[in-house]
């Protein structure tokens, strides 16, 4: 391609979409595509969509309305705009999108991203394409791997997809249909990508998967490695000081992974372990394949291995048939676990999922009221958790400039945002701090033992920054 073209990717949904969008950008780069700061300045706009709840998928159609206007404005100026829809809505409603929105030039599902250059050639020739097959080859073999320049914080922290898809078929969830069956990437590819990231200065990696702790990638020895073993290998990579992973299913929390939390200081003491409901009756109807007690006992075992483990979760209120009593059980489990944070959602009936066809759907007013009560309980738990850190000494990875001049901001081991006065040359360092104040969503801290001026500048494997 002779001239430079500009692409703008708008990302909705989960971190895996964020990772995928970065990989799409990287895959287009050798073909002469650079990133545009906005849709207005782009020759190609890709909406990387999410289908998880009705609201999320509706956003696509309103954004496509905007794209229609933009495309005709550009056409009046003699400019061209290509519009693509990727992600989980594309996978679930590919043909419907093409039918409803003539503005769209290409629709392609999450397993087709490595075909993007080919799709562009086809649309460049005037064709409209819909590609929602699940190809046999592994897209990660053909997509550009993560590099530091393209990672989420463009520097110190990065996402790394290790597993994709889900075979759990919770009765409310579209993911098994949009992302397909559970597959794990081979261990050597993951380690190579992680090494490249660490060499470029990334200090914290978050391993991604819809069911990340169900990871069973082929190891160099030909056997299937679990996530615990993968974390042990990642912990040996120099410079990779912090490892996180998300999202986990309670059924897949193996003894080895729990032991890895005991053994590896790099494995951060923060676990996103959604339970969805505190009621056994609802958990069974959701096909979660674990009960309330299984979940609580699992947390006991995790905390026995890593006493400072903080938990986070996801909850759904108003699942079909949920009574006030069921909901009370959810409120109780929030109290019992003492979550550091949690997401909560109103049940949204998704086409094609078993629960959507249930007769006893819950009225919207009841869902709204339960969500408000649950969120109040979660907020109280988060406040209590944050307050429990007051006066505590902890390590913070300084990731970016803070709100005020002279401040830097970073994350605690428990993923809390932390602000402190610190010289900018400490960016990228993990420093000990003492927490001095607790606000609603962040901690204020003071640097302990400021490193002396005579120390060498921040360096990553000997490369001065
Ligand atoms: N793979 C992860 C998360 C999947 S989606 C897991 O198994 O936990 C993220 C969250 O969205 C889910 O945990 C669930 O709480 C919520 N969610 C999924 N489907 C939903 C639906 N139909 N309505 C409301 N919330 C939903
Ligand atoms: Fe969806 Fe359940 Fe799979 Fe999570 S485990 S992605 S909620 S089907
Ligand atoms: Fe949404 Fe697909 Fe992620 S439905 S939450 S973008 S896996």
């Amino acid at each position: 391609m002779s001239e430079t073209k500009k692409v703008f990717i708008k990302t909705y949904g989960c971190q895996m979409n964020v990772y995928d969008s970065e990989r799409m950008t990287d895959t287009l780069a050798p073909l002469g595509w650079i990133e545009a700061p906005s849709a207005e300045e782009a020759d190609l706009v890709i909406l990387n969509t999410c289908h998880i709840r009705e609201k999320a998928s509706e956003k696509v159609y309103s954004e496509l309305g905007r794209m229609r206007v933009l495309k005709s404005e550009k056409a009046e100026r003699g400019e061209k705009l290509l519009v693509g829809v990727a992600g989980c809505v594309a996978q679930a409603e590919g043909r419907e999108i093409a039918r409803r929105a003539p503005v769209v030039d290409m629709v392609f599902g999450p397993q087709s991203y490595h075909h993007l250059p080919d799709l562009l050639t086809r649309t460049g020739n005037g064709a409209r394409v819909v590609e929602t097959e699940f190809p046999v080859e592994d897209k990660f073999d053909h997509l550009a791997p993560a590099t530091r320049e393209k990672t989420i914080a463009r520097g110190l922290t990065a996402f790394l997809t290790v597993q994709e898809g889900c075979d759990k078929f919770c009765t409310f969830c579209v993911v098994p249909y949009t992302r397909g069956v559970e597959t794990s990437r081979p261990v050597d590819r993951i380690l190579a990508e992680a090494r490249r990231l660490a060499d470029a200065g990334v200090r914290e990696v978050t391993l991604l998967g819809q069911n990340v702790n169900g990871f069973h990638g082929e190891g160099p020895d030909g056997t299937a490695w679990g996530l615990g073993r993968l974390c042990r290998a990642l912990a040996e990579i120099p410079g990779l000081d912090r490892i996180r992973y998300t999202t986990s299913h309670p059924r897949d929390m193996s003894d080895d992974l729990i032991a890895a939390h005991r053994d590896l200081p790099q494995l951060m003491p923060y676990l996103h372990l959604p339970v969805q409901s505190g009621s056994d009756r609802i958990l069974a109807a959701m096909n979660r394949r674990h009960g309330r007690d299984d979940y609580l006992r699992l947390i006991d075992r995790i905390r026995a291995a890593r006493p400072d483990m903080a938990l986070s979760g996801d909850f759904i209120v108003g699942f079909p048939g949920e009574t006030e009593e069921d909901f009370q059980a959810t409120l109780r489990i929030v109290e019992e676990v003492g979550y550091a944070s949690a997401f909560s959602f109103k049940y949204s009936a998704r086409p094609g999922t078993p629960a959507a066809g249930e007769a006893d759907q819950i009225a919207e007013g009841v869902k709204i009221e339960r969500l408000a009560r649950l969120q109040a309980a979660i907020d109280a738990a988060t406040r209590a958790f944050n307050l429990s850190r007051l006066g505590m000494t902890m390590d913070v990875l300084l990731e970016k400039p803070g709100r005020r001049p002279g401040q830097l901001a970073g994350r605690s081991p428990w993923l809390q945002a932390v602000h402190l006065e610190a010289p900018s040359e400490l960016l990228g360092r993990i420093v000990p701090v003492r927490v001095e104040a607790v606000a609603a969503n962040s901690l204020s801290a003071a640097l302990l033992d400021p490193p002396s001026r005579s120390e060498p500048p921040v360096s990553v494997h000997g490369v001065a920054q």
Side-chain angles (χ1 to χ4, degrees), residues 52-53 172-173 210 247 274 276 288 314-316 345-348 350:
I52 202 82
R53 284 168 290 275
F172 52 81
C173 184
Q210 266 89 28
T247 294
Q276 313 296 355
R288 286 293 291 180
D314 292 341
F315 292 92
I316 294 177
F345 311 100
K346 287 182 291 179
Y347 169 71
S348 169
R350 306 306 292 131

Side-chain angles (χ1 to χ4, degrees), residues 184-227:
S184 296
R185 295 179 66 192
V187 169
D188 54 359
R189 305 275 162 76
I190 297 167
L191 293 179
E193 194 164 322
R195 267 187 223 108
R196 258 196 309 275
L197 289 170
D199 283 345
V202 167
R203 307 215 49 190
E204 174 178 306
V205 72
T206 302
L207 310 178
L208 298 181
Q210 266 89 28
N211 238 298
V212 71
N213 59 343
F215 175 81
H216 53 90
E218 188 185 338
D221 54 359
T223 68
W225 285 30
L227 191 66

Side-chain angles (χ1 to χ4, degrees), residues 162 207 212-213 215 225-232 245 256-257:
V162 301
L207 310 178
V212 71
N213 59 343
F215 175 81
W225 285 30
L227 191 66
R229 193 157 176 204
L230 179 68
C231 286
R232 285 176 203 275
Y245 58 91
D256 185 50
L257 182 55

Side-chain angles (χ1 to χ4, degrees), residues 317-367:
V317 299
F319 184 81
E322 186 189 68
T323 61
E324 173 61 24
E325 202 183 345
D326 294 319
F327 175 67
Q328 294 280 346
T330 297
L331 288 178
R332 275 200 305 280
I333 211 167
V334 169
E335 240 174 67
E336 275 172 63
V337 172
Y339 286 98
S341 72
F343 300 99
S344 48
F345 311 100
K346 287 182 291 179
Y347 169 71
S348 169
R350 306 306 292 131
T353 59
E358 292 292 326
D360 42 3
Q361 300 288 327
I362 303 298
E364 181 66 12
V366 176
K367 289 186 196 170

